[in-house]
Amino acid sequence: MESVETTLPPSEKTGPRNGGGAPAVPFFSQADTFRELWPEIRSHCVRVLDRGKFSHGSGVAAFEHALARWTGAEHVVGVNSGTDALVLLLRAAGLRPGDEVVVPAYTFVATATSVVLAGGVPVFADIEERGYGIDPRSVDAVATSRSRMVMPVHLFDRLADIRGVHEVARRRGLTVVEDSAEAIGMRQDGRHAGLLGAGGVLSFFPAKTLGAIGDAGALLTDDDTVAETARALRHHGRGGRTLDHFPGISNPTVLAGYNSKMDDVQAAVLLAKLGRLDADIARRAALSARYDERLRQIPGVLAVPGDVAPHPGGNRVCYVHLIEVERRDALAAHLAARGIATEVYYPTPLHLQPCFAHLGHRPGDFPRAEAACAAALALPLYADLSETDVDRVCDGIEDFYTGRRR
Ligand SMILES: *Cc1c(COP(=O)(O)O)cnc(C)c1O
């Protein structure tokens, strides 16, 4: 432990420089990206301002079109967040009040709360032994006669076992919808995440691989009815080609819509950033490989992302660099004292969250999800991160486990 650094006031630790002279490593920053992209973003934003139409403008449609080309999706529906995209997706895919949706116990909370918001009931399943996707065998074990859908989540850097999920879904009569909020760029046999079932979502929360300057999200689907229903739902049940009925949807509750539209300014920023998404993804992959090369040599580091291959037919896109380690919380504190920010993804498995206590789960119900929550630590990973930053994070981890001081 470096006593000099640990005595610094908290503001110094999170500031741009950390006492000893070494620059702090924030968990996420895109200041450089925005400086570079500013002329382009400004011209898109000026166009929005010149039009003077800040809702139902053509900016959202332009971004939807560009994203449809990038992903290969038949339909892209721009909305105000990944969470609302999930709620719209579930309802547009035909979820009825009281229907069960099987979701993993290890994921961001919105995977399960979106089911509740859509009128359904989440049913938790464990995740696979290696990696963080839902375990198809667990889906088979927890699904009941009331289960109508299964929602795999593609976390961090690779797709869930989508073939395994489809096999169980076919046998159990479940519709597959994807929480692909983190999965931009991830593909299975060339098909983009979110297009491997009835539909999927993307989140453009600022820290995501493609981030807005506030909240935004999108629904992706190749299904005309899902797209048309979602378009209506995002705007009070209006819009789309039909104004007063929902072809193919017999559930009358679908007629109550939301105000979930994407903002034209976010669409303008996202359109500019989409132009460098391939470069950003390549940059993240290079940084991720650099982390792995160092980290897999360090005692105390139990798992690094590069050691788990994608499922057959899947690619790797590095959104979060998640490692599993011994004494995780002590390591995080040690790094924080050196000005290195990390995050715990995800601190508590969803079956043990207070908001789902009524489902009656106990510790031990989903051992793999619980083990991941205890050991997982997300390291800084973003296009603006430098090689030197990666080396400093690795030095910090190495020093923690070897007791070395430098
Ligand atoms: C980010 C995220 C969401 C929610 O997206 P928002 O845009 O923040 O609402 C949902 N699921 C997963 C797995 C996510 O990572």
Side-chain angles (χ1 to χ4, degrees):
M1 284 300 263
E2 280 116 326
S3 54
V4 177
E5 292 192 7
T6 53
T7 57
L8 286 169
S11 59
E12 290 285 316
K13 292 177 189 168
T14 52
R17 298 221 151 239
N18 183 33
V25 184
F27 187 70
F28 181 75
S29 167
Q30 41 183 6
D32 297 339
T33 295
F34 273 106
R35 256 191 298 277
E36 245 174 65
L37 270 177
W38 179 233
E40 195 181 337
I41 290 173
R42 186 171 50 192
S43 75
H44 283 297
C45 287
V46 164
R47 222 170 301 142
V48 171
L49 297 178
D50 278 349
R51 273 197 302 266
K53 193 166 182 289
F54 306 123
S55 186
H56 307 286
S58 51
V60 172
F63 172 66
E64 287 174 341
H65 186 71
L67 186 63
R69 289 238 312 261
W70 199 90
T71 56
E74 202 66 47
H75 306 281
V76 172
V77 182
V79 294
N80 60 353
S81 72
T83 302
D84 275 25
L86 285 171
V87 176
L88 266 56
L89 170 65
L90 289 161
R91 292 189 59 189
L95 194 77
R96 296 167 310 195
D99 282 346
E100 291 175 353
V101 181
V102 182
V103 298
Y106 179 77
T107 175
F108 183 58
V109 69
T111 307
T113 50
S114 65
V115 173
V116 177
L117 291 170
V121 179
V123 172
F124 295 114
D126 211 345
I127 55 171
E128 54 200 341
E129 210 43 57
R130 299 198 73 208
Y132 305 96
I134 198 166
D135 180 349
R137 288 168 312 170
S138 185
V139 174
D140 207 16
V142 301
T144 76
S145 57
R146 292 175 303 280
S147 302
R148 188 174 179 83
M149 299 187 184
V150 55
M151 184 149 70
V153 187
H154 310 305
L155 289 178
F156 312 136
D157 68 339
R158 68 183 92 82
L159 295 168
D161 178 4
I162 201 78
R163 289 181 189 168
V165 167
H166 269 292
E167 193 278 315
V168 175
R170 246 191 317 275
R171 205 152 31 72
R172 305 292 301 250
L174 305 173
T175 300
V176 178
V177 289
E178 300 166 75
D179 181 347
S180 42
E182 302 184 358
I184 196 159
M186 293 186 202
R187 289 180 161 87
Q188 171 83 27
D189 302 315
R191 261 174 112 72
H192 197 277
L195 304 172
L196 307 168
V201 304
L202 289 173
S203 166
F204 308 119
F205 178 75
K208 293 273 158 60
T209 306
L210 177 63
I213 53 171
D215 282 301
L219 181 150
L220 309 182
T221 183
D222 288 338
D223 184 306
D224 297 347
T225 304
V226 170
E228 193 166 352
T229 308
R231 270 184 207 289
L233 282 172
R234 78 172 164 183
H235 180 47
H236 305 289
R238 298 203 305 263
R241 273 178 284 130
T242 53
L243 293 180
D244 51 10
H245 69 285
F246 294 78
I249 303 285
S250 55
N251 171 10
T253 63
V254 87
L255 293 167
Y258 306 85
N259 180 3
S260 299
K261 297 186 295 296
M262 181 183 272
D263 190 285
D264 255 33
V265 174
Q266 299 303 339
V269 170
L270 288 166
L271 188 60
K273 287 189 82 185
L274 190 60
R276 56 175 279 164
L277 180 57
D278 284 307
D280 280 2
I281 287 173
R283 172 79 187 147
R284 283 167 174 267
L287 294 168
S288 179
R290 190 179 183 94
Y291 266 129
D292 277 359
E293 206 175 299
R294 275 284 302 280
L295 293 177
R296 57 165 69 95
Q297 319 288 338
I298 298 176
V301 176
L302 306 173
V304 299
D307 287 350
V308 183
H311 289 286
N315 64 348
R316 246 191 117 212
V317 175
C318 307
Y319 161 55
V320 165
H321 198 85
L322 190 98
I323 59 175
E324 289 189 44
V325 293
E326 290 171 0
R327 292 185 290 139
R328 189 260 321 274
D329 295 338
L331 172 64
H334 168 87
L335 293 173
R338 294 183 167 207
I340 297 166
T342 57
E343 295 266 346
V344 172
Y345 290 170
Y346 294 96
T348 307
L350 297 190
H351 64 289
L352 301 179
Q353 283 282 1
C355 60
F356 295 118
H358 62 282
L359 297 176
H361 285 292
R362 296 217 186 96
D365 282 358
F366 301 114
R368 176 61 192 132
E370 291 166 34
C373 287
L377 188 67
L379 306 179
L381 184 72
Y382 41 93
D384 286 9
L385 197 71
S386 71
E387 278 79 2
T388 316
D389 292 334
V390 170
D391 294 345
R392 281 198 55 224
V393 177
C394 295
D395 289 347
I397 295 172
E398 186 171 75
D399 295 354
F400 177 76
Y401 288 112
T402 61
R404 181 164 140 206
R405 304 187 49 155
R406 59 179 90 217

